[in-house]
Amino acid sequence: MLFESILRPERRKYKPLTTWKNGSKASTKWIRIKSLSIKQWLFISVVFSITSFIIFSHFLSNSSLHGLIRIPPKPKFKCYSNEDPLRASLRRITPNTHVSKFQLRLDPKVLVFVETQYSKLGKQITEILESSRIKFKAEIVGKSLPLLTNLERGRFAVIIFENLNKYLNMNKWNRELLDKYCREYSVGIIGMIQPNDEKRNGVQLRGFPLQMDTGVAIRDFRLNPLSPILRVTRAGEVQFGNLPGDDWVVFYSNHTSYQPLGQAYLQRPIELYSNDVNTNETNFIPKKKLVTTVIQDHGLYDGIQRILFGNGFTFWINKLLLLDSISFLSHGKLSLPLQRYILIDIDDIFVGEKGTRMKRSDVLELLDSQRRLSLLIPGFRFNLGFSGKYYHKGYADEDYGDDLLLDNADKFWWFCHMYSHTQPHLYDNITILENEMKMNHEFAQVFNLLPLCYVLDSAVLPRQTCGLYTHTIFLDKYPGGRHKLDNSIHGGELFYSFIFNPINVFMTHLSNYGNDRLAIYAFESVIKFVQCWTNLQLYTLPPLPLATKYFQLYPEESDPIWMNPCNDKRHHSIWSSTKSCDQLPKFLVIGPQKTGSTALYTFLSMHPTIVSNYPSPETFEEIQFFNGKNYYKGLDWYMNFFPVPKNSSPSYLFEKSATYFDGELVPMRAHALLPTAKLVAILVSPIKRAYSWYHHTRAHKSSIALNFSFFDVITANEKSPKLLRELRNRCLNPGTYAQHLERWLSYYSPQQLMIIDGEELKANPVLVMNKLQNFLKIEPYFDYKLHLRFDPKKGFFCQVIHMNSTKCLGRSKGRVYPPMDSTAHKFLRSFYLPHNIALSKLLTKLHHPIPSWLEDDLSTGYT
Ligand code: A3P
């Protein structure tokens, strides 16, 4: 037992500091002091006061002395609405749920109209959505609108305008279309009135019975407790004092459609201009009148609900109100949950430099803080990470601190690091790594930590920082000053971490609990602030149940997502030096199947600088990594399909897997690993594609395809046998092109995507390959005219091998089968009609010519 022998004998037991008082020395001093006269006492006091004054006034700015008299800050935030019964009664007891039947026809997505790709407010809005995991599509307000519906479903549950003026000044056609969509699907609009320095009053909002004053300065902000929008945000509290900026826009209306959400008093009265030249009277809006900064339009005027913000996000609460507005207008489809789970890790409880570690008094305060926090978060405990090697490595009082922690071990949760706190990837010897783990295990055994320890197998939860690092230990030295930490607590970064993340695992270090005990200050303050301003319910869980909870909330996150290690400095540093990030494709041919993807693959491989992957024993030329089970084989598995590019002969790696096109997760996964890759899709008539697929499965002896006619397959319904339904889906689903392309385009920009007309590839592959070379910006130019020739026997273009001979694709490509019967054709024309309409709109939006097969399918689809 390594630790029994080494650690036990040395371990100092915690002894109370006060023992010396009972000793004889203390008693003698006490007798002498008692014998002093009152005059002597007075004299000593005066001398002491003067000396102290001189010393303090001279040295107070000196940091070393400042350190000696350091008093850790106390969490000072006070929630008035908790103490004032009148205000407490104003707030809603049960937060609004916002759920209504209208959400059933809406997709959980927000459409954000931004002014430009880089506009500040637009970026802030999309960042808030991203942080809250709310899906969105950002569109630059322009000539055309994105597709708003998809087969009787509204594609967006809420619409946000970064600048409301862009909505008000939209061209008539688009405005009518958008308003019609909002009315039909009961979708609301959030509009930002851009802050305005110009002081104007009584400005009418174009087309609405609503007036605004601009360039206003306000103070003492509060929420309207009767507003149905409030959900996460809790009414009752007032933010006293001036609000940032004097560029606020405030709203007025006599119409019953309007209801205030955010209100404040004016810093100065507003002078109202009078149009009447005969009167010299000046009217004022007095300072004492409440004005509205965020207003709700119930839609009584024109049938559309709107929420208007009279400022951006310079004031912290507006972000919270934006999230509640999204929840309200989406009928609860995009509501954040109200439960929040908090775990505070003290990452390295023994790892710290001498002089910065926790002393006994710090440990006592840690225990007391834990007790106070457990009154706010039931069952709260700190979660301590330990590396045994650093136990007892401080000054005497710090070592006593270590002992006091271990004496109170059962009051905390514990988790294991390596014995000497080295990161596991830094070991190049597995035996040493195992030994390190064994030693820390033994340490845990000796100090009875094992039953209190939580070991996460492979579940790793994301952790948040709270703005405190190992070296941020004194309040007066906090980077950016104390107000920076306070701002983070009172509506800033730390506060919003609670808002955005249903599960917060905060990372702190022991030095944050010694010294100025900044972690205690920060957490107690922010939790009080959260409970004052929000309806969030705070809970805690030990690491393992917390991980279970996390993956229940985000089941998709239990799946790995492979990203390029070279795109992140920290990832790159733990990436093996023998691996290269260039072993990845520069472009993907994504299919779909039966459109000519093998022909394109073959033609590309003829190019001297284009190199495809090595073949797979199971799926031949296709790797099929981003869809299906292969993804779980990992990044190394994928990379091994590609040669390491040589500097001497630059090569352009690519991969073709035709099943990528309609794979639900593929665009997200592909984008995570290959964000700058180019994409190539090939489209033929979806009717033809379905028929080709049917014959393909028959040729592969699928019993279900052999036993059922094409018409039986495509008309299979929910009562049909499972295998038949599956075949129908695989036959028909890839052909809903617009839907799949939209998914790719929600990850990749249109500039990264090339759409090839499969009929053109058949009829004029040289032209298509030239366009593709241009799109890929590939060098040297390869003259396909010399290398492709039409083979009358095959009926397709084939590779020229010699003057007189060509090499064509195998028998499985360009099959001969009877023409499709007219009933099946008619059925498919109307089945694909809405999808083809959507495709035609999408291609127009992408400035892509409409292929002739699409025009044919559309013109005959209506009959
Ligand atoms: P059919 O076999 O139904 O005629 P994929 O390679 O994506 O599976 O697509 C197969 C289809 O590619 C064939 O469908 C055929 O029509 C088309 N194709 C296009 N160019 C071709 C070529 N040069 N040789 C053979 N088939 C080609």
Side-chain angles (χ1 to χ4, degrees):
M1 274 297 182
L2 179 72
F3 287 105
E4 282 299 359
S5 53
I6 298 175
L7 293 173
R8 271 291 183 210
E10 276 188 16
R11 187 176 167 214
R12 276 164 282 197
K13 270 282 163 202
Y14 160 62
K15 296 180 204 122
L17 265 173
T18 46
T19 45
W20 70 274
K21 276 187 188 166
N22 302 327
S24 57
K25 270 188 179 174
S27 325
T28 14
K29 270 185 193 161
W30 177 239
I31 294 161
R32 276 193 210 136
I33 286 166
K34 247 171 103 184
S35 63
L36 291 175
S37 73
I38 293 181
K39 263 190 182 174
Q40 283 170 314
W41 257 115
L42 258 176
F43 177 74
I44 289 169
S45 310
V46 171
V47 171
F48 181 75
S49 307
I50 293 170
T51 329
S52 323
F53 178 78
I54 293 168
I55 292 172
F56 272 81
S57 53
H58 187 262
F59 290 109
L60 200 57
S61 58
N62 176 323
S63 57
S64 61
L65 189 68
H66 193 86
L68 285 177
I69 54 158
R70 196 173 285 285
I71 303 164
K74 288 264 175 253
K76 62 172 190 222
F77 176 73
K78 245 190 167 14
C79 187
Y80 295 99
S81 64
N82 277 352
E83 285 156 26
D84 174 358
L86 188 76
R87 261 199 245 135
S89 69
L90 282 178
R91 65 170 202 260
R92 268 178 187 278
I93 305 301
T94 340
N96 291 298
T97 62
H98 296 158
V99 176
S100 89
K101 66 172 187 323
F102 293 109
Q103 65 158 253
L104 298 174
R105 282 173 72 208
L106 297 173
D107 286 343
K109 204 170 185 183
V110 176
L111 174 61
V112 189
F113 282 104
V114 292
E115 290 206 70
T116 68
Q117 210 179 338
Y118 311 101
S119 44
K120 191 174 159 207
L121 201 54
K123 270 200 150 172
Q124 285 175 331
I125 295 169
T126 52
E127 269 166 27
I128 294 169
L129 297 176
E130 247 164 37
S131 308
S132 329
R133 298 165 185 256
I134 295 177
K135 282 195 193 145
F136 66 90
K137 182 176 176 67
E139 278 280 317
I140 298 169
V141 195
K143 283 189 190 133
S144 61
L145 290 178
L147 292 178
L148 297 172
T149 55
N150 181 14
L151 309 175
E152 297 301 299
R153 280 186 78 76
R155 296 182 69 217
F156 305 103
V158 178
I159 295 169
I160 303 180
F161 277 87
E162 175 194 1
N163 184 350
L164 189 76
N165 273 332
K166 296 284 170 187
Y167 167 70
L168 301 174
N169 299 326
M170 239 179 189
N171 69 44
K172 196 168 162 268
W173 166 256
N174 281 340
R175 173 71 185 272
E176 277 173 14
L177 205 69
L178 194 65
D179 285 358
K180 186 167 171 270
Y181 170 74
C182 290
R183 283 190 201 100
E184 260 177 36
Y185 287 84
S186 196
V187 165
I189 294 176
I190 297 172
M192 305 280 163
I193 313 275
Q194 296 275 348
N196 201 330
D197 288 333
E198 199 188 339
K199 289 189 191 344
R200 291 176 63 199
N201 47 50
V203 182
Q204 173 100 22
L205 192 73
R206 195 175 146 188
F208 294 93
L210 183 70
Q211 266 116 46
M212 306 174 295
D213 292 339
T214 67
V216 177
I218 52 174
R219 67 186 167 86
D220 299 350
F221 180 90
R222 77 246 2 255
L223 297 153
N224 173 8
L226 300 176
S227 171
I229 295 168
L230 298 176
R231 175 181 153 78
V232 172
T233 330
R234 181 175 179 245
E237 189 61 12
V238 177
Q239 167 96 27
F240 287 107
N242 292 343
L243 267 66
D246 51 7
D247 53 359
W248 288 76
V249 176
V250 296
F251 303 96
Y252 309 89
S253 180
N254 291 328
H255 200 286
T256 48
S257 190
Y258 294 96
Q259 182 182 15
L261 170 59
Q263 293 182 295
Y265 285 114
L266 298 169
Q267 280 181 35
R268 293 174 289 278
I270 297 183
E271 196 176 324
L272 294 177
Y273 306 119
S274 171
N275 289 335
D276 186 351
V277 281
N278 300 322
T279 172
N280 280 336
E281 274 179 37
T282 320
N283 286 326
F284 287 100
I285 300 177
K287 273 167 69 170
K288 272 273 171 217
K289 187 174 160 33
L290 271 181
V291 291
T292 301
T293 63
V294 185
I295 198 159
Q296 176 183 5
D297 173 354
H298 284 278
L300 305 179
Y301 181 67
D302 69 346
I304 299 171
Q305 299 214 49
R306 297 184 187 84
I307 297 164
L308 308 181
F309 285 72
N311 201 306
F313 300 112
T314 41
F315 180 42
W316 65 270
I317 208 162
N318 276 3
K319 287 191 210 169
L320 213 50
L321 294 179
L322 175 74
L323 290 169
D324 274 350
S325 302
I326 291 172
S327 165
F328 175 81
L329 293 176
S330 68
H331 308 279
K333 191 89 182 178
L334 295 168
S335 293
L336 300 186
L338 291 177
Q339 294 77 21
R340 294 291 182 277
Y341 290 85
I342 289 118
L343 181 70
I344 303 177
D345 285 358
I346 307 181
D347 209 11
D348 311 305
I349 198 64
F350 302 121
V351 184
E353 280 169 38
K354 254 185 178 174
T356 65
R357 298 162 64 109
M358 289 167 78
K359 303 184 197 68
R360 276 183 299 178
S361 54
D362 298 320
V363 177
L364 289 173
E365 184 55 22
L366 179 77
L367 285 160
D368 212 31
S369 172
Q370 180 166 283
R371 183 192 55 77
R372 288 190 299 266
L373 283 171
S374 68
L375 299 176
L376 306 172
I377 310 169
F380 177 83
R381 283 163 184 235
F382 286 102
N383 186 34
L384 313 188
F386 64 95
S387 294
K389 186 176 171 187
Y390 296 93
Y391 161 75
H392 268 193
K393 287 283 188 294
Y395 292 120
D397 201 19
E398 293 172 334
D399 289 353
Y400 282 132
D402 289 356
D403 291 332
L404 188 54
L405 279 168
L406 290 169
D407 287 344
N408 287 284
D410 61 336
K411 298 201 173 69
F412 302 109
W413 292 320
W414 294 80
F415 67 101
C416 228
H417 291 299
M418 291 286 158
Y419 178 68
S420 56
H421 196 252
T422 312
Q423 292 159 314
H425 69 269
L426 296 178
Y427 292 95
D428 45 17
N429 181 323
I430 198 87
T431 323
I432 300 177
L433 187 140
E434 276 170 9
N435 272 345
E436 283 276 327
M437 291 168 93
K438 276 187 202 149
M439 281 160 83
N440 222 29
H441 185 265
E442 256 180 60
F443 178 86
Q445 247 171 354
V446 170
F447 292 110
N448 279 330
L449 300 181
L450 277 186
L452 313 162
C453 263
Y454 287 90
V455 182
L456 289 181
D457 300 332
S458 57
V460 180
L461 300 189
R463 291 203 285 186
Q464 277 81 39
T465 56
C466 57
L468 300 174
Y469 303 93
T470 8
H471 299 294
T472 41
I473 55 179
F474 297 123
L475 193 56
D476 56 321
K477 296 206 182 110
Y478 189 82
R482 175 185 186 145
H483 74 276
K484 183 138 190 247
L485 179 62
D486 285 345
N487 284 350
S488 171
I489 293 166
H490 302 143
E493 202 179 335
L494 183 55
F495 168 76
Y496 268 101
S497 185
F498 283 79
I499 304 299
F500 293 143
N501 303 302
I503 291 181
N504 280 280
V505 184
F506 287 106
M507 182 169 76
T508 61
H509 295 91
L510 97 161
S511 51
N512 307 132
Y513 296 83
N515 311 294
D516 269 359
R517 302 174 190 156
L518 291 185
I520 291 179
Y521 171 73
F523 285 112
E524 286 192 31
S525 304
V526 76
I527 284 164
K528 282 182 185 162
F529 194 84
V530 167
Q531 293 198 325
C532 186
W533 278 98
T534 76
N535 287 313
L536 296 181
Q537 300 139 15
L538 304 183
Y539 302 98
T540 189
L541 277 176
L544 264 183
L546 191 67
T548 313
K549 182 110 233 151
Y550 186 91
F551 291 109
Q552 271 166 5
L553 273 177
Y554 307 116
E556 70 285 357
E557 283 195 24
S558 51
D559 252 15
I561 295 183
W562 307 116
M563 297 169 80
N564 188 337
C566 302
N567 290 350
D568 185 308
K569 236 167 91 182
R570 287 164 312 163
H571 294 173
H572 195 205
S573 67
I574 60 172
W575 182 240
S576 164
S577 55
T578 58
K579 292 175 188 171
S580 154
C581 292
D582 296 333
Q583 235 176 317
L584 286 169
K586 285 209 173 81
F587 73 97
L588 299 175
V589 177
I590 57 176
Q593 286 173 296
K594 312 317 293 171
T595 56
S597 60
T598 318
L600 186 71
Y601 168 85
T602 313
F603 301 160
L604 281 165
S605 305
M606 288 160 59
H607 195 288
T609 49
I610 297 178
V611 178
S612 75
N613 51 280
Y614 302 125
S616 144
E618 285 95 33
T619 46
F620 313 107
E621 84 269 11
E622 300 201 346
I623 308 178
Q624 298 184 2
F625 175 64
F626 295 107
N627 54 334
K629 290 192 188 120
N630 285 341
Y631 194 67
Y632 302 103
K633 293 182 180 162
L635 191 52
D636 282 347
W637 182 87
Y638 183 54
M639 281 183 153
N640 284 336
F641 277 96
F642 296 95
V644 183
K646 292 184 201 113
N647 282 347
S648 50
S649 55
S651 56
Y652 215 85
L653 299 181
F654 87 104
E655 192 223 332
K656 184 273 288 189
S657 293
T659 42
Y660 285 167
F661 182 76
D662 51 305
E664 194 68 33
L665 295 173
V666 179
M668 181 270 289
R669 287 175 173 175
H671 186 258
L673 184 63
L674 310 167
T676 56
K678 289 188 171 170
L679 310 169
V680 182
I682 318 160
L683 305 183
V684 294
S685 160
I687 303 173
K688 256 183 146 179
R689 200 214 73 83
Y691 195 49
S692 170
W693 169 259
Y694 170 73
H695 282 287
H696 172 78
T697 40
R698 276 173 74 94
H700 280 81
K701 304 273 178 283
S702 146
S703 58
I704 198 91
L706 289 170
N707 287 332
F708 288 91
S709 72
F710 182 56
F711 189 74
D712 290 340
V713 174
I714 56 177
T715 54
N717 58 34
E718 294 325 299
K719 288 183 197 133
S720 309
K722 190 168 172 259
L723 286 177
L724 187 59
R725 276 185 282 133
E726 277 172 9
L727 184 61
R728 175 203 61 191
N729 293 346
R730 283 162 64 214
C731 222
L732 299 183
N733 288 359
T736 56
Y737 295 145
Q739 191 189 332
H740 301 305
L741 286 171
E742 287 275 2
R743 196 172 42 240
W744 280 99
L745 289 170
S746 63
Y747 290 92
Y748 287 92
S749 74
Q751 290 72 31
Q752 287 173 278
L753 170 71
M754 175 165 174
I755 299 171
I756 290 177
D757 174 358
E759 293 302 333
E760 193 170 40
L761 180 69
K762 255 187 236 169
N764 194 349
V766 172
L767 179 73
V768 170
M769 295 313 289
N770 284 347
K771 284 195 227 169
L772 188 50
Q773 289 189 82
N774 272 340
F775 169 71
L776 296 172
K777 296 198 172 66
I778 210 123
E779 278 180 353
Y781 168 75
F782 186 67
D783 192 356
Y784 278 96
K785 223 173 28 242
L786 307 174
H787 300 274
L788 292 176
R789 186 189 306 148
F790 185 76
D791 185 311
K793 221 161 126 203
K794 176 80 182 170
F796 288 94
F797 274 80
C798 301
Q799 186 178 352
V800 176
I801 298 295
H802 196 262
M803 280 282 280
N804 301 322
S805 63
T806 53
K807 189 175 167 217
C808 298
L809 297 187
R811 267 190 302 160
S812 64
K813 305 292 163 186
R815 286 195 179 92
V816 183
Y817 35 78
M820 191 186 310
D821 73 71
S822 60
T823 19
H825 198 267
K826 202 168 167 202
F827 175 85
L828 286 181
R829 265 189 337 238
S830 60
F831 173 84
Y832 280 120
L833 183 64
H835 302 285
N836 280 340
I837 294 174
L839 177 66
S840 135
K841 283 187 188 167
L842 178 65
L843 292 178
T844 310
K845 200 177 137 203
L846 296 174
H847 308 294
H848 197 284
I850 306 290
S852 52
W853 55 260
L854 182 55
E855 276 174 358
D856 288 351
D857 282 3
L858 281 171
S859 62
T860 53
Y862 295 99
T863 55

